[in-house]
Amino acid sequence: MEDKQFELRKSKLEELRAMGIDPYANGFTPENNAGELISLYVSKSPEELEEMEQSFSLAGRIVSKRDFGKSAFFHLSERTGRIQGFVQKNSVSEETFTLFRKFLDVGDFAGIRGELFKTRTGELTVRVLELFFLTKALRPLPEKWHGLQDVETRYRQRYLDLIANERTREIFKTRSKVINLIRRFLDERDFLEVETPVLHPIAGGATAKPFVTHHNALDMDLYLRIAPELYLKRLVVGGLERVYELGRTFRNEGVSTKHNPEFTMIEFYQAYATYEDLMNLIEDLVCCVVENTAGEMQVEYEDKKIDFKRPWKRINIYDALREKFGSEITEDDQFLFTKADSMGITHNGIRGKALTEIFEALFEDSLLNPAFVYGFPLDVSPLARKNDNDPEVVDRFELYICGREIANAFSELNDPIDQKKRFADQAEMKKKGEDEYHEMDNDYVSALEYGMPPTAGAGIGIDRLVMLLTNSSSIREVIFFPHLRP
RNA sequence: GAGCCGUUAGCUCAGCUGGUAGAGCAACUGCCUUUUAAGCAGUGGGUCACAGGUUCGAAUCCUGUACGGCUCACCA
């Protein structure tokens, strides 16, 4: 049997139609909003409000009702906040009063017109003079005090989560704000926002497994992008010296509290800059975002306190490892691989992989406050420029906050011959079973052959940044519709 | 992919070592013209995730499946 509350609300809807009232009426345009009325009039005295004789109109969802028989209170919720309304038998027509009492349920949308007054308890309230039925909700809202708790329902029916839980609304407001701040920050510095393909013939720009899709007319497989990097750098070749793209990226990997198959990343590229310039830029950018969302330079995350105070620590991977194990770790392959094996690290004989994995295993968790980790080995950085002093490492860094990688950046490799060789080396590894390694991208190499100015670029994981700023322990809390099994 | 935990009314949750289902909110019917978790009296509402099994008897024990959560693995 169909649910009773649903059937009842449906029959109310039919009755409304029979009475000539459209339960999904259009055309009511509110002239005011709750936030505005509260900020303008909350401090007025009851007498001042009484004298005003001004009428206001609002529209929103009815989120609570307290019925006294001949009068009733309710709360109306909309974009700017919520405000209390009061319906009195004497102040409205018979029809309106019945409409409110018998037909308007919690969850429905209504428009109201009325005047402001203060209740005995001092709450600013709209005395309803006219009521407009806007939308019938056929299903009841989640419970009023506990809200919606069930995690699965919160993710699958995010609209209910947003209706019921203030915190969820705040998280997503912060998310929007973060994105907006980043755009403004880069726009002010003369970066150009661009859009590059999501469908790639070759999945490049990162070390990750791609989603595969198929173009029917061309009868060819295409990959959802794992990074926009190689296209953005083609634009730098084209003379767009400062570009950024903020958008969705897809990686066909495991799902966890820190991984969603589609996630939001910003990448930006600046010609005539080095990775060190980008450390400073990212410090500026993240601090700007933190200051304008948290309001201070410290952020509570889980049981920790993250301090964004500058300057941020800069840690060299090789130095850190030598300090821990002595110089053998970087000079003696035997020592390195034995160490890696003893720590249960899979490296497949790739030096750089062993080094970075050992570093991560040992130091990642200790990097609470923002820290730039640099000195990455060349063989795990096929798109980064070689360091001028040490050809085994590249001019690359990662930003860690709270033990998590938030950003990755480097001076770009703009030597086409070196790039071609790096791709070839990667393709060689790929053959050996490292299937997430790059394949040869001749089209990109030929772009470099036309000359890319010295450039540095960075990618920042927006979801992870928002997690830190909203004290969210799972990436699913900061993505409206996270990936779940259907 | 592995381990652990969970799934009971629209929502939030109880339900003990097995005896056939309970509360609050929501809903419904009354009463109530300043409440805000309004109040009072009454009523209805369940394929206990699904499928098997054990048992005289299963929400409860066992097995499997689905979905979810956490941890680990994988992974920028």
Side-chain angles (χ1 to χ4, degrees):
Chain A
M1 187 188 89
E2 197 61 53
D3 160 38
K4 259 193 165 170
Q5 293 194 42
F6 181 77
E7 287 303 324
L8 193 82
R9 283 171 176 240
K10 227 158 67 175
S11 66
K12 286 184 183 177
L13 180 130
E14 294 310 325
E15 273 188 76
L16 282 169
R17 285 213 167 103
M19 288 157 64
I21 296 169
D22 183 355
Y24 299 105
N26 274 23
F28 180 84
T29 311
E31 284 153 0
N32 307 98
N33 65 62
E36 168 207 0
L37 294 188
I38 289 165
S39 70
L40 285 175
Y41 300 109
V42 78
S43 56
K44 299 267 189 245
S45 71
E47 295 74 25
E48 286 176 303
L49 292 173
E50 209 66 39
E51 284 164 16
M52 274 196 336
E53 286 185 5
Q54 192 180 343
S55 100
F56 301 92
S57 64
L58 295 154
R61 193 192 286 271
I62 307 297
V63 292
S64 67
K65 253 181 117 173
R66 293 173 292 282
D67 189 337
F68 291 85
K70 295 198 176 60
S71 71
F73 287 95
F74 61 93
H75 271 99
L76 187 84
S77 170
E78 37 92 301
R79 172 180 105 254
T80 62
R82 56 181 59 191
I83 192 164
Q84 182 166 254
F86 184 51
V87 180
Q88 252 179 147
K89 199 170 166 40
N90 297 345
S91 322
V92 294
S93 68
E94 187 75 34
E95 292 75 25
T96 298
F97 195 67
T98 307
L99 187 67
F100 179 82
R101 280 203 75 202
K102 302 289 177 197
F103 292 96
L104 193 68
D105 292 312
V106 171
D108 294 351
F109 286 86
I112 57 172
R113 184 179 296 279
E115 52 201 22
L116 288 172
F117 75 105
K118 284 228 172 133
T119 62
R120 276 178 202 164
T121 53
E123 180 165 348
L124 187 71
T125 302
V126 182
R127 179 180 287 109
V128 173
L129 302 174
E130 286 182 277
L131 177 70
F132 306 89
F133 204 101
L134 298 183
T135 296
K136 188 80 205 153
L138 294 177
R139 301 205 183 268
L141 259 32
E143 212 239 15
K144 60 183 173 189
W145 359 308
H146 301 95
L148 181 67
Q149 301 293 322
D150 184 79
V151 178
E152 191 172 348
T153 311
R154 288 186 47 235
Y155 295 160
R156 287 191 195 277
Q157 294 174 273
R158 184 67 90 179
Y159 46 94
L160 293 179
D161 189 27
L162 287 163
I163 293 167
N165 298 321
E166 167 88 33
R167 177 172 153 71
T168 304
R169 291 194 293 273
E170 287 308 313
I171 286 173
F172 287 103
K173 276 190 205 167
T174 301
R175 184 184 173 110
S176 286
K177 204 169 174 186
V178 167
I179 288 170
N180 188 253
L181 286 164
I182 292 173
R183 283 207 164 99
R184 263 172 30 200
F185 182 94
L186 291 172
D187 290 345
E188 277 166 17
R189 281 156 186 78
D190 209 19
F191 281 80
L192 194 67
E193 180 166 11
V194 297
E195 293 175 278
T196 65
V198 169
L199 296 174
H200 289 188
I202 294 172
T207 312
K209 294 186 196 89
F211 285 95
V212 188
T213 185
H214 191 79
H215 190 295
N216 292 340
L218 300 180
D219 189 24
M220 67 182 291
D221 281 345
L222 289 167
Y223 304 95
L224 301 190
R225 67 176 173 198
I226 55 174
E229 174 155 356
L230 300 183
Y231 285 94
L232 290 172
K233 287 195 279 196
R234 283 171 170 95
L235 296 181
V236 178
V237 171
L240 307 185
E241 294 176 353
R242 296 183 179 199
V243 290
Y244 73 91
E245 179 162 14
L246 202 162
R248 211 65 60 84
T249 297
F250 308 83
R251 294 186 187 176
N252 204 341
E253 315 271 4
V255 176
S256 80
T257 50
K258 296 176 192 67
H259 301 262
N260 198 63
E262 51 181 296
F263 61 100
T264 300
M265 180 159 84
I266 181 164
E267 281 199 8
F268 55 91
Y269 292 84
Q270 180 177 348
Y272 314 113
T274 66
Y275 76 124
E276 285 168 315
D277 296 326
L278 289 197
M279 284 191 197
N280 297 328
L281 186 78
I282 286 176
E283 230 179 73
D284 285 344
L285 188 154
V286 173
C287 284
C288 165
V289 169
V290 169
E291 198 175 352
N292 286 288
T293 52
E296 51 176 346
M297 296 317 288
Q298 292 202 335
V299 172
E300 302 260 4
Y301 188 75
E302 289 170 346
D303 52 350
K304 305 179 222 19
K305 192 165 235 173
I306 305 168
D307 193 347
F308 286 84
K309 207 179 85 182
R310 308 171 66 173
W312 295 349
K313 231 193 287 180
R314 300 185 180 193
I315 300 164
N316 183 299
I317 294 177
Y318 283 68
D319 289 347
L321 288 176
R322 276 190 217 109
E323 202 173 302
K324 181 101 183 164
F325 300 107
S327 55
E328 276 177 297
I329 190 84
T330 54
E331 280 155 27
D332 182 350
D333 280 11
Q334 192 63 40
F335 183 89
L336 171 67
F337 291 130
T338 307
K339 197 80 222 165
D341 290 338
S342 76
M343 293 171 68
I345 285 165
T346 49
H347 50 75
N348 298 354
I350 301 164
R351 269 181 57 80
K353 198 164 173 175
L355 284 164
T356 47
E357 299 267 328
I358 291 174
F359 176 84
E360 282 178 24
L362 290 173
F363 297 99
E364 205 174 64
D365 290 344
S366 66
L367 302 175
L368 173 65
N369 295 334
F372 291 114
V373 171
Y374 69 101
F376 278 82
L378 181 132
D379 54 13
V380 293
S381 316
L383 303 165
R385 184 180 189 277
K386 266 180 210 161
N387 184 273
D388 285 337
N389 302 318
D390 182 352
E392 195 190 316
V393 303
V394 292
D395 290 342
R396 170 182 172 193
F397 70 87
E398 290 187 347
L399 170 64
Y400 276 85
I401 306 176
C402 200
R404 296 169 190 189
E405 186 205 326
I406 299 295
N408 178 26
F410 39 84
S411 296
E412 304 299 336
L413 173 59
N414 62 347
D415 173 346
I417 293 160
D418 189 3
Q419 182 66 76
K420 189 161 191 172
K421 185 179 176 306
R422 304 261 200 111
F423 276 144
D425 291 347
Q426 289 274 313
E428 200 58 39
M429 307 247 232
K430 204 178 175 78
K431 267 189 213 157
K432 287 183 193 157
E434 298 284 329
D435 57 355
E436 71 273 17
Y437 275 54
H438 269 87
E439 36 180 307
M440 179 59 71
D441 190 339
N442 284 315
D443 188 75
Y444 174 67
V445 171
S446 63
L448 292 186
E449 286 167 359
Y450 286 92
M452 180 170 78
T455 298
I460 301 176
I462 300 294
D463 311 276
R464 290 179 180 184
L465 185 61
V466 174
M467 283 170 69
L468 292 173
L469 294 169
T470 55
N471 197 4
S472 301
S473 55
S474 169
I475 198 168
R476 296 179 201 107
E477 295 293 336
V478 303
I479 293 173
F480 275 127
F481 301 101
H483 184 262
L484 298 175
R485 284 172 210 268

